[in-house]
Amino acid sequence: MGLLADGYGLGGLMIGFRTLFLWLWSVLLMNGAFSAANAENRYQLSIALPFPGNPPICCMAIPAAKDLGYYDRQGLDVEFVNVGTASTGTVQLLAAKRIDVGTAAVAAGFGAFAAGAKDIRFFGAELNNNFTLSGLKWVYAAKTEINSVQDLKGKTIGLPAGPNPTDPVYVQISALLADNGLSDRDVRWTVAGTQALRAQALMAGRIDFTQVPMELSYLMTPENGVHMVSFEPVGASKGWTGCQCWFANESVLNDPEKREAVQRFVNGTILAMRDMAHDREIFTKAMSLYIDMSRKTPESIDAVWNYERLRMQPNGGVNLEHMQRWFESVYLPDINPRAKGRLTLKEIVDTSFLETFHAKYGTDEEAYWDPPHFAPQNTP
């Protein structure tokens, strides 16, 4: 009698079950709608990277931001296009509008704009070598008999792309030679490829001197006939230099959906760099994704972290005052004199993405080596 006696009856039970069924169905529909909305709110971006496989540790910010989930937390899906021709290749893809974002040395992107690719825009940098602010030295790998710049006379120097102003290694070493009374004609230049290939060429005796990343320093030992050497930075090249810069086409930045994707890319990349620059464990976790750690020691890991963290740009790598000084005293007179009258910072630099980031996440005041400055002070 229980239920019937209490006045619920069979009809009441059926109404109750029907109500429960409808409620459960509505919940499932809502969850489905939320899932669809979440899927719709994800953004896609294609990014060209200037290395053919795993990144050198100095350039791992973007792959690490993906692999450690920073982009995912921003609702961003990224597709990488790896090229084996360094900045030249990424800028070519960008100019052909085959990708959304290309990372490249600043001279490569600026040079493309000056040559006629007027759609290209610079909007930040993940890596910079402002040695004046960081206090770092220029570090190279060399045969053991090379201990000074004068010892380079008659030697073969390995470069990523070649002895031209778009190759940042050439620009730096050429300045070093000039400051020590030598010229380009006093050495032999050769293209030796990526950092890993240059290290192999050095140990095989095909070149005598080159720049290699700190993570390969454990291979540069007298037992292998080579060692690491460092020199004080010289000339204008010790200021802002812009390496691993972010470029996109204006047509991409003007598309609302792609613009939002680029903003999320900026957010995720800088947040990843902030964590890696300030947390040795996160940096080591990221590094372990791309290189063999079996021969690493705590001391060698410290050496890599303490060097590379000061080259990462936790505020986005844009200081228009420093960039203007570089543009006027290095880029136009030395790197690309033909760009004079064909390019201004106002035309190519877009600071809006970094300004939005800083408004939301604030400035990393501890990153003294990357002071942001967005207001153009008479920037040409």
Side-chain angles (χ1 to χ4, degrees):
M1 295 289 294
L3 289 172
L4 294 175
D6 290 336
Y8 284 83
L10 185 59
L13 281 173
M14 292 300 294
I15 292 172
F17 283 134
R18 182 172 179 273
T19 302
L20 178 62
F21 173 79
L22 291 173
W23 177 80
L24 288 172
W25 182 248
S26 67
V27 169
L28 291 173
L29 287 175
M30 289 177 66
N31 284 339
F34 284 141
S35 297
N38 287 337
E40 290 174 1
N41 286 336
R42 294 193 70 83
Y43 292 81
Q44 284 73 43
L45 204 65
S46 59
I47 305 171
L49 301 175
F51 35 82
N54 282 343
I57 299 309
C58 63
C59 305
M60 71 176 178
I62 292 175
K66 177 182 179 180
D67 294 336
L68 297 180
Y70 288 86
Y71 294 146
D72 185 59
R73 291 191 287 276
Q74 291 286 329
L76 178 66
D77 299 318
V78 298
E79 176 189 2
F80 293 150
V81 178
N82 294 85
V83 301
T85 50
S87 296
T88 301
T90 57
V91 170
Q92 287 174 343
L93 288 174
L94 190 67
K97 299 187 178 181
R98 292 169 56 189
I99 42 94
D100 298 321
V101 170
T103 65
V106 64
F110 279 32
F113 185 102
K118 300 297 185 181
D119 202 31
I120 288 179
R121 297 292 180 269
F122 165 98
F123 61 94
E126 69 197 62
L127 180 66
N128 191 22
N129 297 322
N130 195 327
F131 295 93
T132 301
L133 295 178
S134 68
L136 297 173
K137 292 185 177 183
W138 288 354
V139 178
Y140 305 94
K143 288 185 177 178
T144 50
E145 64 265 25
I146 296 175
N147 295 285
S148 69
V149 178
Q150 294 296 331
D151 293 335
L152 293 176
K153 190 170 184 178
K155 298 297 192 294
T156 300
I157 299 177
L159 298 173
N164 64 76
T166 64
D167 187 320
V169 177
Y170 164 77
V171 171
Q172 191 180 100
I173 296 176
S174 181
L176 192 65
L177 293 173
D179 194 69
N180 285 269
L182 299 176
S183 72
D184 284 13
R185 295 186 298 274
D186 290 316
V187 300
R188 292 186 295 271
W189 305 99
T190 187
V191 176
T194 65
Q195 294 174 331
L197 291 175
R198 298 201 303 272
Q200 294 173 14
L202 179 65
M203 291 188 292
R206 296 192 297 273
I207 61 175
D208 303 306
F209 184 85
T210 190
Q211 189 182 71
V212 300
M214 284 295 293
E215 66 265 22
L216 294 180
S217 60
Y218 73 95
L219 293 172
M220 304 298 128
T221 64
E223 290 78 13
N224 291 325
V226 295
H227 66 160
M228 300 294 290
V229 293
S230 62
F231 303 111
E232 290 290 340
V234 301
S237 296
K238 64 185 179 181
W240 192 94
T241 54
C243 188
Q244 277 295 91
C245 297
W246 306 329
F247 292 95
N249 286 310
E250 187 178 29
S251 54
V252 168
L253 302 183
N254 286 340
D255 178 272
E257 185 171 341
K258 285 298 183 182
R259 184 175 183 86
E260 179 63 27
V262 171
Q263 184 64 63
R264 295 176 184 228
F265 161 78
V266 170
N267 295 350
T269 308
I270 296 180
L271 291 174
M273 288 193 293
R274 287 186 173 185
D275 286 346
M276 289 188 287
H278 297 301
D279 191 317
R280 179 184 182 277
E281 289 187 10
I282 295 177
F283 180 92
T284 304
K285 181 179 180 180
M287 183 166 66
S288 69
L289 297 173
Y290 311 117
I291 65 172
D292 179 9
M293 300 288 285
S294 61
R295 297 176 65 180
K296 291 290 184 184
T297 65
E299 293 75 18
S300 67
I301 293 173
D302 280 341
V304 176
W305 181 56
N306 286 323
Y307 190 84
E308 297 299 348
R309 65 184 291 269
L310 296 181
R311 301 207 294 161
M312 288 184 174
Q313 301 296 283
N315 286 316
V318 171
N319 184 302
L320 286 176
E321 185 178 349
H322 296 167
M323 289 181 68
Q324 179 179 344
R325 191 178 307 133
W326 166 84
F327 188 74
E328 294 177 342
S329 62
V330 179
Y331 181 72
L332 290 179
D334 299 327
I335 296 179
N336 192 1
R338 289 182 296 179
K340 192 169 184 178
R342 300 180 180 180
L343 167 69
T344 67
L345 289 188
K346 283 184 179 180
E347 289 177 306
I348 195 171
V349 175
D350 183 342
T351 63
S352 61
F353 296 96
L354 291 182
E355 292 181 61
T356 298
F357 172 87
H358 283 269
K360 182 174 182 178
Y361 295 101
T363 298
D364 184 349
E365 301 293 350
E366 295 181 23
Y368 58 86
W369 60 92
D370 180 27
H373 181 71
F374 305 132
Q377 295 182 339
N378 301 319
T379 303

